[in-house]
Amino acid sequence: MSQAVGNTALAYARVWHHVDASDRVLGKLAERIALVLMGKHKPIYDPSVDCGDYVIVTNSRKVKVTGRKEEQLLYRKHTMYPGGLKETPYKTMKDRHPDEIIRKAVSGMLPKNKLRERRLERLKVFPSYRMGILGANIMRSFEDGTIPPNFDPKHPTTSQTLMKLREKHKKNIEGASVESPASAAPAS
């Protein structure tokens, strides 16, 4: 009888990762996202098996590019009719469809095979820090790769919401310290 335990369902379980794209370089961010979508960060990685995780990207409008790519980068598509080539500069694409910039960059980093579209379906990109109900699924953040100690799946946490919670907490502490001497005075 063999004592070896094979790949369990827990090893193939998909985790939801959160990435804040604010001031991140597009190419390096897309590379990291592609690795997670493929599942290369897991010890059970197999190129022929789709074992990657979900990735939620917020603040895609604030992503950066290096060098002169801001002026030079063009996004092309063709309508398949004669003269149907459509070219969109990076600046216009950033204003109209900031989510498509990251989606196209990640698509270019993924292997060109039958698993590509399935992997791209697990990529969710949002132009601002609001991600709706999908935020409740987040288990890991790209900053450190760990689950936060006070993790609550009912409350989505992004860098923006965490900053707002800290500011609100500071105001509550300051408000309580100002009110506490007045409430400590004895009533006559």
Side-chain angles (χ1 to χ4, degrees):
M1 183 160 102
S2 174
Q3 296 295 320
V5 177
N7 293 330
T8 62
L10 187 59
Y12 284 99
R14 298 192 195 277
V15 176
W16 289 69
H17 298 263
H18 171 250
V19 184
D20 187 6
S22 299
D23 299 326
R24 303 279 296 265
V25 178
L26 178 62
K28 293 180 181 180
L29 178 67
E31 176 191 10
R32 179 83 186 268
I33 292 170
L35 290 177
V36 173
L37 289 174
M38 286 188 282
K40 280 195 167 185
H41 63 292
K42 295 183 178 183
I44 58 158
Y45 171 72
D46 183 14
S48 63
V49 177
D50 190 17
C51 60
D53 292 339
Y54 288 88
V55 178
I56 296 177
V57 182
T58 54
N59 292 321
S60 64
R61 196 176 298 276
K62 298 178 183 176
V63 74
K64 286 185 174 180
V65 289
T66 58
R68 296 180 54 207
K69 293 186 192 98
E70 188 114 15
E71 297 90 29
Q72 294 176 344
L73 196 60
L74 289 175
Y75 292 94
R76 295 182 175 98
K77 64 180 181 178
H78 203 287
T79 63
M80 301 309 289
Y81 287 98
L85 180 66
K86 306 290 183 189
E87 292 182 339
T88 309
Y90 174 79
K91 290 181 181 180
T92 308
M93 185 72 101
K94 191 172 182 179
D95 292 337
R96 293 183 186 164
H97 306 289
D99 54 328
E100 282 300 310
I101 292 174
I102 293 178
R103 190 172 309 281
K104 287 180 183 285
V106 171
S107 175
M109 301 269 181
L110 289 173
K112 283 61 174 180
N113 57 23
K114 292 182 178 182
L115 298 175
R116 185 184 201 185
E117 291 303 316
R118 195 182 315 171
R119 288 172 175 160
L120 279 174
E121 286 175 3
R122 289 196 309 271
L123 175 64
K124 315 292 183 195
V125 186
F126 298 98
S128 67
Y129 69 93
R130 297 181 186 271
M131 65 183 86
I133 197 166
L134 292 178
N137 296 327
I138 295 173
M139 290 290 291
R140 294 191 178 163
S141 180
F142 264 27
E143 283 77 31
D144 55 0
T146 60
I147 298 174
N150 57 354
F151 175 71
D152 184 12
K154 296 176 185 159
H155 302 289
T157 56
T158 65
S159 59
Q160 296 286 348
T161 54
L162 288 175
M163 284 192 293
K164 288 182 181 181
L165 285 173
R166 286 185 194 127
E167 291 172 5
K168 187 177 179 182
H169 185 65
K170 281 184 182 178
K171 288 180 183 177
N172 288 343
I173 291 175
E174 291 171 0
S177 64
V178 172
E179 293 175 11
S180 60
S183 62
S188 318

PDB file of all heavy atoms in Angstrom, residues 113-131:
ATOM      1  N   ASN A 113      -2.122  29.491 -25.926  1.00  0.00           N
ATOM      2  CA  ASN A 113      -2.674  28.145 -26.044  1.00  0.00           C
ATOM      3  C   ASN A 113      -4.159  28.168 -25.678  1.00  0.00           C
ATOM      4  O   ASN A 113      -4.737  29.240 -25.492  1.00  0.00           O
ATOM      5  CB  ASN A 113      -1.901  27.148 -25.171  1.00  0.00           C
ATOM      6  CG  ASN A 113      -1.867  27.536 -23.714  1.00  0.00           C
ATOM      7  OD1 ASN A 113      -2.717  28.276 -23.237  1.00  0.00           O
ATOM      8  ND2 ASN A 113      -0.868  27.044 -23.004  1.00  0.00           N
ATOM      9  N   LYS A 114      -4.773  27.009 -25.570  1.00  0.00           N
ATOM     10  CA  LYS A 114      -6.219  26.933 -25.346  1.00  0.00           C
ATOM     11  C   LYS A 114      -6.622  27.366 -23.943  1.00  0.00           C
ATOM     12  O   LYS A 114      -7.801  27.630 -23.700  1.00  0.00           O
ATOM     13  CB  LYS A 114      -6.704  25.508 -25.601  1.00  0.00           C
ATOM     14  CG  LYS A 114      -6.605  25.112 -27.051  1.00  0.00           C
ATOM     15  CD  LYS A 114      -7.142  23.729 -27.279  1.00  0.00           C
ATOM     16  CE  LYS A 114      -7.064  23.375 -28.752  1.00  0.00           C
ATOM     17  NZ  LYS A 114      -7.630  22.057 -29.038  1.00  0.00           N
ATOM     18  N   LEU A 115      -5.682  27.474 -23.022  1.00  0.00           N
ATOM     19  CA  LEU A 115      -6.000  27.881 -21.655  1.00  0.00           C
ATOM     20  C   LEU A 115      -5.996  29.401 -21.478  1.00  0.00           C
ATOM     21  O   LEU A 115      -6.411  29.906 -20.446  1.00  0.00           O
ATOM     22  CB  LEU A 115      -4.993  27.266 -20.677  1.00  0.00           C
ATOM     23  CG  LEU A 115      -4.962  25.744 -20.608  1.00  0.00           C
ATOM     24  CD1 LEU A 115      -3.844  25.288 -19.707  1.00  0.00           C
ATOM     25  CD2 LEU A 115      -6.297  25.220 -20.122  1.00  0.00           C
ATOM     26  N   ARG A 116      -5.539  30.130 -22.490  1.00  0.00           N
ATOM     27  CA  ARG A 116      -5.371  31.571 -22.375  1.00  0.00           C
ATOM     28  C   ARG A 116      -6.669  32.298 -22.048  1.00  0.00           C
ATOM     29  O   ARG A 116      -6.731  33.114 -21.121  1.00  0.00           O
ATOM     30  CB  ARG A 116      -4.775  32.104 -23.662  1.00  0.00           C
ATOM     31  CG  ARG A 116      -4.431  33.555 -23.644  1.00  0.00           C
ATOM     32  CD  ARG A 116      -3.958  33.948 -25.007  1.00  0.00           C
ATOM     33  NE  ARG A 116      -3.166  35.141 -24.968  1.00  0.00           N
ATOM     34  CZ  ARG A 116      -2.716  35.743 -26.042  1.00  0.00           C
ATOM     35  NH1 ARG A 116      -2.949  35.223 -27.228  1.00  0.00           N
ATOM     36  NH2 ARG A 116      -2.020  36.836 -25.960  1.00  0.00           N
ATOM     37  N   GLU A 117      -7.728  32.030 -22.784  1.00  0.00           N
ATOM     38  CA  GLU A 117      -9.006  32.727 -22.560  1.00  0.00           C
ATOM     39  C   GLU A 117      -9.593  32.377 -21.197  1.00  0.00           C
ATOM     40  O   GLU A 117     -10.155  33.235 -20.520  1.00  0.00           O
ATOM     41  CB  GLU A 117      -9.996  32.384 -23.669  1.00  0.00           C
ATOM     42  CG  GLU A 117      -9.625  32.957 -25.020  1.00  0.00           C
ATOM     43  CD  GLU A 117      -9.461  34.466 -24.991  1.00  0.00           C
ATOM     44  OE1 GLU A 117     -10.309  35.152 -24.373  1.00  0.00           O
ATOM     45  OE2 GLU A 117      -8.484  34.971 -25.581  1.00  0.00           O
ATOM     46  N   ARG A 118      -9.451  31.131 -20.778  1.00  0.00           N
ATOM     47  CA  ARG A 118      -9.973  30.720 -19.482  1.00  0.00           C
ATOM     48  C   ARG A 118      -9.232  31.431 -18.351  1.00  0.00           C
ATOM     49  O   ARG A 118      -9.813  31.812 -17.343  1.00  0.00           O
ATOM     50  CB  ARG A 118      -9.834  29.210 -19.330  1.00  0.00           C
ATOM     51  CG  ARG A 118     -10.648  28.669 -18.198  1.00  0.00           C
ATOM     52  CD  ARG A 118     -10.495  27.193 -17.988  1.00  0.00           C
ATOM     53  NE  ARG A 118     -10.542  26.411 -19.203  1.00  0.00           N
ATOM     54  CZ  ARG A 118     -10.244  25.117 -19.232  1.00  0.00           C
ATOM     55  NH1 ARG A 118      -9.878  24.498 -18.131  1.00  0.00           N
ATOM     56  NH2 ARG A 118     -10.309  24.446 -20.356  1.00  0.00           N
ATOM     57  N   ARG A 119      -7.923  31.612 -18.542  1.00  0.00           N
ATOM     58  CA  ARG A 119      -7.135  32.321 -17.531  1.00  0.00           C
ATOM     59  C   ARG A 119      -7.500  33.794 -17.488  1.00  0.00           C
ATOM     60  O   ARG A 119      -7.580  34.393 -16.416  1.00  0.00           O
ATOM     61  CB  ARG A 119      -5.650  32.143 -17.831  1.00  0.00           C
ATOM     62  CG  ARG A 119      -5.174  30.748 -17.546  1.00  0.00           C
ATOM     63  CD  ARG A 119      -3.765  30.521 -18.019  1.00  0.00           C
ATOM     64  NE  ARG A 119      -3.295  29.205 -17.615  1.00  0.00           N
ATOM     65  CZ  ARG A 119      -2.291  28.569 -18.176  1.00  0.00           C
ATOM     66  NH1 ARG A 119      -1.633  29.126 -19.189  1.00  0.00           N
ATOM     67  NH2 ARG A 119      -1.930  27.383 -17.750  1.00  0.00           N
ATOM     68  N   LEU A 120      -7.723  34.390 -18.660  1.00  0.00           N
ATOM     69  CA  LEU A 120      -8.086  35.805 -18.695  1.00  0.00           C
ATOM     70  C   LEU A 120      -9.462  36.073 -18.090  1.00  0.00           C
ATOM     71  O   LEU A 120      -9.727  37.176 -17.627  1.00  0.00           O
ATOM     72  CB  LEU A 120      -8.040  36.331 -20.132  1.00  0.00           C
ATOM     73  CG  LEU A 120      -6.662  36.703 -20.645  1.00  0.00           C
ATOM     74  CD1 LEU A 120      -6.729  37.068 -22.109  1.00  0.00           C
ATOM     75  CD2 LEU A 120      -6.069  37.837 -19.843  1.00  0.00           C
ATOM     76  N   GLU A 121     -10.343  35.075 -18.091  1.00  0.00           N
ATOM     77  CA  GLU A 121     -11.657  35.251 -17.465  1.00  0.00           C
ATOM     78  C   GLU A 121     -11.534  35.425 -15.955  1.00  0.00           C
ATOM     79  O   GLU A 121     -12.417  35.997 -15.325  1.00  0.00           O
ATOM     80  CB  GLU A 121     -12.557  34.055 -17.770  1.00  0.00           C
ATOM     81  CG  GLU A 121     -13.073  34.030 -19.188  1.00  0.00           C
ATOM     82  CD  GLU A 121     -13.852  32.768 -19.499  1.00  0.00           C
ATOM     83  OE1 GLU A 121     -14.048  31.927 -18.585  1.00  0.00           O
ATOM     84  OE2 GLU A 121     -14.261  32.613 -20.664  1.00  0.00           O
ATOM     85  N   ARG A 122     -10.451  34.936 -15.377  1.00  0.00           N
ATOM     86  CA  ARG A 122     -10.255  35.064 -13.935  1.00  0.00           C
ATOM     87  C   ARG A 122      -9.599  36.387 -13.555  1.00  0.00           C
ATOM     88  O   ARG A 122      -9.338  36.624 -12.373  1.00  0.00           O
ATOM     89  CB  ARG A 122      -9.405  33.899 -13.425  1.00  0.00           C
ATOM     90  CG  ARG A 122     -10.148  32.592 -13.432  1.00  0.00           C
ATOM     91  CD  ARG A 122      -9.451  31.561 -12.578  1.00  0.00           C
ATOM     92  NE  ARG A 122      -8.047  31.414 -12.889  1.00  0.00           N
ATOM     93  CZ  ARG A 122      -7.558  30.585 -13.805  1.00  0.00           C
ATOM     94  NH1 ARG A 122      -8.356  29.822 -14.495  1.00  0.00           N
ATOM     95  NH2 ARG A 122      -6.259  30.525 -14.015  1.00  0.00           N
ATOM     96  N   LEU A 123      -9.331  37.237 -14.530  1.00  0.00           N
ATOM     97  CA  LEU A 123      -8.759  38.557 -14.263  1.00  0.00           C
ATOM     98  C   LEU A 123      -9.883  39.582 -14.232  1.00  0.00           C
ATOM     99  O   LEU A 123     -10.615  39.749 -15.200  1.00  0.00           O
ATOM    100  CB  LEU A 123      -7.743  38.925 -15.351  1.00  0.00           C
ATOM    101  CG  LEU A 123      -7.140  40.321 -15.281  1.00  0.00           C
ATOM    102  CD1 LEU A 123      -6.312  40.499 -14.018  1.00  0.00           C
ATOM    103  CD2 LEU A 123      -6.279  40.580 -16.507  1.00  0.00           C
ATOM    104  N   LYS A 124     -10.037  40.272 -13.120  1.00  0.00           N
ATOM    105  CA  LYS A 124     -11.056  41.316 -12.959  1.00  0.00           C
ATOM    106  C   LYS A 124     -10.329  42.642 -12.762  1.00  0.00           C
ATOM    107  O   LYS A 124      -9.538  42.792 -11.830  1.00  0.00           O
ATOM    108  CB  LYS A 124     -11.954  41.048 -11.754  1.00  0.00           C
ATOM    109  CG  LYS A 124     -12.436  39.618 -11.606  1.00  0.00           C
ATOM    110  CD  LYS A 124     -13.384  39.224 -12.686  1.00  0.00           C
ATOM    111  CE  LYS A 124     -13.875  37.805 -12.431  1.00  0.00           C
ATOM    112  NZ  LYS A 124     -14.505  37.206 -13.553  1.00  0.00           N
ATOM    113  N   VAL A 125     -10.583  43.611 -13.650  1.00  0.00           N
ATOM    114  CA  VAL A 125      -9.888  44.896 -13.612  1.00  0.00           C
ATOM    115  C   VAL A 125     -10.900  46.008 -13.406  1.00  0.00           C
ATOM    116  O   VAL A 125     -11.931  46.053 -14.089  1.00  0.00           O
ATOM    117  CB  VAL A 125      -9.086  45.132 -14.912  1.00  0.00           C
ATOM    118  CG1 VAL A 125      -8.254  46.394 -14.804  1.00  0.00           C
ATOM    119  CG2 VAL A 125      -8.193  43.949 -15.225  1.00  0.00           C
ATOM    120  N   PHE A 126     -10.598  46.929 -12.464  1.00  0.00           N
ATOM    121  CA  PHE A 126     -11.483  48.050 -12.162  1.00  0.00           C
ATOM    122  C   PHE A 126     -10.695  49.350 -12.258  1.00  0.00           C
ATOM    123  O   PHE A 126      -9.548  49.422 -11.796  1.00  0.00           O
ATOM    124  CB  PHE A 126     -12.068  47.906 -10.756  1.00  0.00           C
ATOM    125  CG  PHE A 126     -12.911  46.674 -10.601  1.00  0.00           C
ATOM    126  CD1 PHE A 126     -12.390  45.520 -10.047  1.00  0.00           C
ATOM    127  CD2 PHE A 126     -14.218  46.666 -11.027  1.00  0.00           C
ATOM    128  CE1 PHE A 126     -13.154  44.381  -9.910  1.00  0.00           C
ATOM    129  CE2 PHE A 126     -14.997  45.534 -10.900  1.00  0.00           C
ATOM    130  CZ  PHE A 126     -14.465  44.394 -10.341  1.00  0.00           C
ATOM    131  N   PRO A 127     -11.282  50.410 -12.855  1.00  0.00           N
ATOM    132  CA  PRO A 127     -10.547  51.660 -13.038  1.00  0.00           C
ATOM    133  C   PRO A 127     -10.295  52.431 -11.745  1.00  0.00           C
ATOM    134  O   PRO A 127      -9.355  53.202 -11.657  1.00  0.00           O
ATOM    135  CB  PRO A 127     -11.431  52.474 -13.980  1.00  0.00           C
ATOM    136  CG  PRO A 127     -12.753  51.818 -13.981  1.00  0.00           C
ATOM    137  CD  PRO A 127     -12.576  50.427 -13.517  1.00  0.00           C
ATOM    138  N   SER A 128     -11.127  52.243 -10.711  1.00  0.00           N
ATOM    139  CA  SER A 128     -10.916  52.941  -9.442  1.00  0.00           C
ATOM    140  C   SER A 128     -10.762  51.904  -8.330  1.00  0.00           C
ATOM    141  O   SER A 128     -10.615  50.719  -8.597  1.00  0.00           O
ATOM    142  CB  SER A 128     -12.090  53.879  -9.156  1.00  0.00           C
ATOM    143  OG  SER A 128     -13.262  53.123  -8.918  1.00  0.00           O
ATOM    144  N   TYR A 129     -10.797  52.365  -7.091  1.00  0.00           N
ATOM    145  CA  TYR A 129     -10.608  51.432  -5.982  1.00  0.00           C
ATOM    146  C   TYR A 129     -11.877  50.669  -5.639  1.00  0.00           C
ATOM    147  O   TYR A 129     -11.841  49.721  -4.864  1.00  0.00           O
ATOM    148  CB  TYR A 129     -10.076  52.163  -4.743  1.00  0.00           C
ATOM    149  CG  TYR A 129     -11.067  53.096  -4.104  1.00  0.00           C
ATOM    150  CD1 TYR A 129     -11.887  52.658  -3.071  1.00  0.00           C
ATOM    151  CD2 TYR A 129     -11.178  54.412  -4.512  1.00  0.00           C
ATOM    152  CE1 TYR A 129     -12.794  53.509  -2.488  1.00  0.00           C
ATOM    153  CE2 TYR A 129     -12.079  55.266  -3.937  1.00  0.00           C
ATOM    154  CZ  TYR A 129     -12.884  54.812  -2.921  1.00  0.00           C
ATOM    155  OH  TYR A 129     -13.789  55.660  -2.341  1.00  0.00           O
ATOM    156  N   ARG A 130     -13.003  51.030  -6.226  1.00  0.00           N
ATOM    157  CA  ARG A 130     -14.260  50.318  -5.958  1.00  0.00           C
ATOM    158  C   ARG A 130     -14.328  49.050  -6.802  1.00  0.00           C
ATOM    159  O   ARG A 130     -14.186  49.100  -8.009  1.00  0.00           O
ATOM    160  CB  ARG A 130     -15.450  51.203  -6.275  1.00  0.00           C
ATOM    161  CG  ARG A 130     -15.519  52.441  -5.425  1.00  0.00           C
ATOM    162  CD  ARG A 130     -16.747  53.255  -5.800  1.00  0.00           C
ATOM    163  NE  ARG A 130     -16.760  54.515  -5.111  1.00  0.00           N
ATOM    164  CZ  ARG A 130     -17.309  54.693  -3.918  1.00  0.00           C
ATOM    165  NH1 ARG A 130     -17.884  53.690  -3.309  1.00  0.00           N
ATOM    166  NH2 ARG A 130     -17.290  55.874  -3.357  1.00  0.00           N
ATOM    167  N   MET A 131     -14.577  47.926  -6.137  1.00  0.00           N
ATOM    168  CA  MET A 131     -14.642  46.653  -6.848  1.00  0.00           C
ATOM    169  C   MET A 131     -15.942  45.925  -6.621  1.00  0.00           C
ATOM    170  O   MET A 131     -16.119  44.808  -7.091  1.00  0.00           O
ATOM    171  CB  MET A 131     -13.474  45.774  -6.448  1.00  0.00           C
ATOM    172  CG  MET A 131     -13.493  45.357  -5.011  1.00  0.00           C
ATOM    173  SD  MET A 131     -12.064  44.412  -4.555  1.00  0.00           S
ATOM    174  CE  MET A 131     -10.919  45.698  -4.159  1.00  0.00           C
TER     175      MET A 131
END
